[in-house]
Structure formats: structure tokens, C-alpha cells
Amino acid sequence: MRRPFAVRAGALLGGVLFSGAFAQLTGPAAIPASAADGDKGFTIEDPRITESSGLAASRLHPGVYWTHNDSDDGPYLYAVDSATGKTVARIALAGVGTPRDVEAISIGPGNEIWVGDIGDNLGGTWKYVWIYRLPEPKKLVDQTVKATQYVVKYSDGPRDAESLLVHPRTGRVYIIDKKEDGGHLYEGPAKLSVSGANVFRPIAAVDLWATDAAFSPDGSRIAVRGYFGGISYAWNGGKIEREGRLDVPLQRQGESVSYSADGTRIMYGSEGAGSSVAAEDAPEGASSGSKSPSGGGSSSASGDDGGSAATGGVKVGALAVVAVCAVFFGLRRLRRRG
């Protein structure tokens, strides 16, 4: 659900930072695809992928990233070769209903793909959402794969969410809800059931308006991103501890995040036709995710999601670009869905 973001970001930032926006709009283009190493960043070339909302690095097929559209496509997943940006397979999910708002994708133990149909375009009013699980195909060709569908409810009522995480070792499923002033990490049952609803319960606060999150390949930390920034957390068995800010790049509409398969890079995806996936070095220690002093005291959504004082000059122009683009894409989505 991005319409509130477009309206608020545009109103707050558009007029104040217009001059910075003009300077940024005439600046360098997005990171190009690298034929030698896709983990340096790439551009999604498939014209069918116009609203890439989730991203997950395949462990079965090196250099391949799985993605999907938001809510206007169907039960499809796309395998994208990061060396070329081209789709090498489209998977149709069988055995599930019509998706409503697919927002996230994750790879669990045994190379199983988990898909989160967890967005709520009605503002957190759907009584339940869905999660789909399917085996990752061993051969990357267009095909139909049977998936298992799970019904999900929250212990404290309906909510919007765009972040689905599956622990790479335990296989336990987690969701982070999407709230401007920060959300919560929700833990699912140890084993999901196909009969009845699976109740997810909040276990920790998250200091971000989260649009996606991902486990590191060893399960020791999670990366949580928002529109303008991100945070690295040590996992600690679900008792997450903040390590520092992530160096999230400027993007048209930042939606997705994934660790590379080897855990050395964090990949950041965005929506829109021909959208870019940018790469940054993954944090190696408790403080390496932050390039500026973190300071003491409690965090706020605006402080954590808006960049640091050390890079304030760059961030001002960056925020302006995001504001202008947000208004454009938000209005386009309103016209299309109205």
C-alpha cells in the first residue's frame, strides 16, 4: 500500500526541496547491469515486471534472483539472471487462489520459496492474508508448480505488511508490519498448518516504516529497509538488537531487499518498468552498517528512515527526487485503481 506514502512524501518534501530535486534529476543514471558480476547491481529488463515488490537470491541457481509483481499480475514468479537482467523463467503457482497484494518473497531451508500475499490495500482491514510455499524448480524454464497456501491472522488484528522473512535454518516464518512510526516483528507458529488460520504474534519492535526485510544467509542478522533508509539488526533468536543504519541507495520507489547468496552484499530493488537493483556491501560487524554516529536514546521513524547528518547535503537532494517520483507514481496508481 503506497498511496499514503506518495501523498505524504510529496506534500512534505516536494515544495521545500524542489531545487535539490532538479539537480538530482539531471545527475547520473542508475547503476548499470554488470555481465561479470550481477551482485554489483543490475536492471530488470522484462517488460512484464512493472511492480517488482519482493526480491530473494536463489541458492540453487547462482546469480539468479526471484521477484514478482505487486497486485496487478497474477500467481507468477520471475527468475531474473543478475548478470544480464533478463528473465530466465516464469513460474505459475497452482493450487492457490487469486492473489490480492503480493509484497514479499523469501527462500527457506531446502530451497523452498515462500511468497507473502500480505499487503492490504484497504489499510489493514482484511481479516486474513495468505502465504504460499513451493519448491524452487531445479530447472529454470517456464512452468507451473503446485504451491501450498496458508491462511494468516495477527493476534492483535488486521494490518498492512510488506516484509516476509523465513529463517534459513529453522524455517520459521516472520512478518514485519508496515507503519510510519515503526512496526513490529511478528512470529508465526513453529509449523504452519494448512487447516485453519495461523496466528502471528508480535515479539519485537522495529524502528522503521518497513517495505521489506531479509535474513542473512547464516540467519545471524536481518536487514530491514524503508523508502529512505534501512537498519541492520542482530537476530539473537528473535530478540533483535539494532546494529546500525544500512547504506540504502537512492531509488525511484524502494520496495525490496535481499542478501546476495554468499551474504557479502545487500541488494535493493525498486518498482517501475525497467527498475534497478542496486548493491551495497553487507555489514560485517555490530557497527559497520552505520556510516555516521548513531547516538543514544530512542529512535524515531523520521530519524532512522531519512539518512544521517553526515550525508545531509546528499540526502536533501535525494529526498526531493523520491518525493517527486512518489507523487508521480502515486497519482498514476490512483488513476489506474480508481
Side-chain angles (χ1 to χ4, degrees):
M1 185 182 71
R2 281 164 294 283
R3 283 172 288 181
F5 161 71
V7 173
R8 291 175 183 140
L12 178 63
L13 300 171
V16 178
L17 302 175
F18 180 78
S19 60
F22 179 79
Q24 290 294 326
L25 286 171
T26 57
I31 299 173
S34 170
D37 184 358
D39 288 343
K40 292 180 180 178
F42 59 96
T43 298
I44 296 175
E45 302 289 349
D46 193 331
R48 297 171 297 181
I49 305 173
T50 58
E51 291 185 314
S52 175
S53 292
L55 194 69
S58 172
R59 299 180 183 90
L60 186 60
H61 304 285
V64 166
Y65 285 82
W66 291 96
T67 189
H68 54 81
N69 280 313
D70 189 342
S71 55
D72 295 327
D73 189 5
Y76 301 113
L77 304 179
Y78 300 84
V80 179
D81 180 358
S82 62
T84 64
K86 298 184 181 300
T87 297
V88 293
R90 186 175 83 156
I91 306 302
L93 276 60
V96 304
T98 302
R100 289 190 298 202
D101 193 358
V102 181
E103 292 288 357
I105 188 168
S106 183
I107 306 292
N111 297 316
E112 289 189 313
I113 300 176
W114 294 77
V115 182
D117 191 355
I118 56 176
D120 191 339
N121 283 327
L122 299 179
T125 58
W126 283 330
K127 294 182 179 179
Y128 58 87
V129 292
W130 297 310
I131 291 174
Y132 314 125
R133 175 178 60 85
L134 66 151
E136 183 174 7
K138 294 181 179 180
K139 182 178 290 188
L140 292 178
V141 295
D142 290 357
Q143 58 189 292
T144 299
V145 178
K146 182 173 176 53
T148 302
Q149 179 171 322
Y150 302 97
V151 174
V152 169
K153 291 185 176 182
Y154 302 96
S155 61
D156 49 359
R159 57 203 56 251
D160 185 23
E162 296 189 3
S163 308
L164 175 78
L165 308 92
V166 180
H167 196 278
R169 294 185 176 176
T170 69
R172 196 151 190 170
V173 183
Y174 299 85
I175 293 173
I176 298 175
D177 63 341
K178 182 184 179 184
K179 287 191 169 185
E180 284 184 78
D181 56 353
H184 285 82
L185 175 72
Y186 285 78
E187 182 180 66
K191 184 177 181 180
L192 298 186
S193 171
V194 295
S195 61
N198 297 275
V199 179
F200 279 58
R201 305 180 186 280
I203 60 171
V206 175
D207 303 325
L208 202 66
W209 191 11
T211 61
D212 201 10
F215 273 107
S216 59
D218 63 1
S220 66
R221 55 170 53 93
I222 61 174
V224 185
R225 77 158 301 171
Y227 291 115
F228 305 131
I231 302 174
S232 175
Y233 289 95
W235 179 240
N236 293 325
K239 298 179 180 179
I240 58 175
E241 293 182 5
R242 177 176 173 143
E243 292 183 327
R245 293 190 180 102
L246 294 171
D247 190 12
V248 178
L250 168 66
Q251 291 178 308
R252 180 165 46 191
Q253 186 170 321
E255 285 288 329
S256 57
V257 67
S258 172
Y259 275 84
S260 60
D262 64 4
T264 62
R265 308 280 272 173
I266 297 181
M267 313 296 289
Y268 298 96
S270 60
E271 278 199 2
S275 61
S276 66
V277 176
E280 298 288 346
D281 290 336
E284 297 179 355
S287 61
S288 60
S290 176
K291 291 189 175 182
S292 62
S294 58
S298 60
S299 304
S300 66
S302 59
D304 295 331
D305 207 18
S308 63
T311 56
V314 175
K315 293 293 184 180
V316 165
L319 291 177
V321 176
V322 176
V324 172
C325 293
V327 171
F328 174 78
F329 284 103
L331 290 176
R332 186 181 70 174
R333 186 180 293 263
L334 282 171
R335 287 196 299 269
R336 185 178 62 203
R337 294 185 178 176

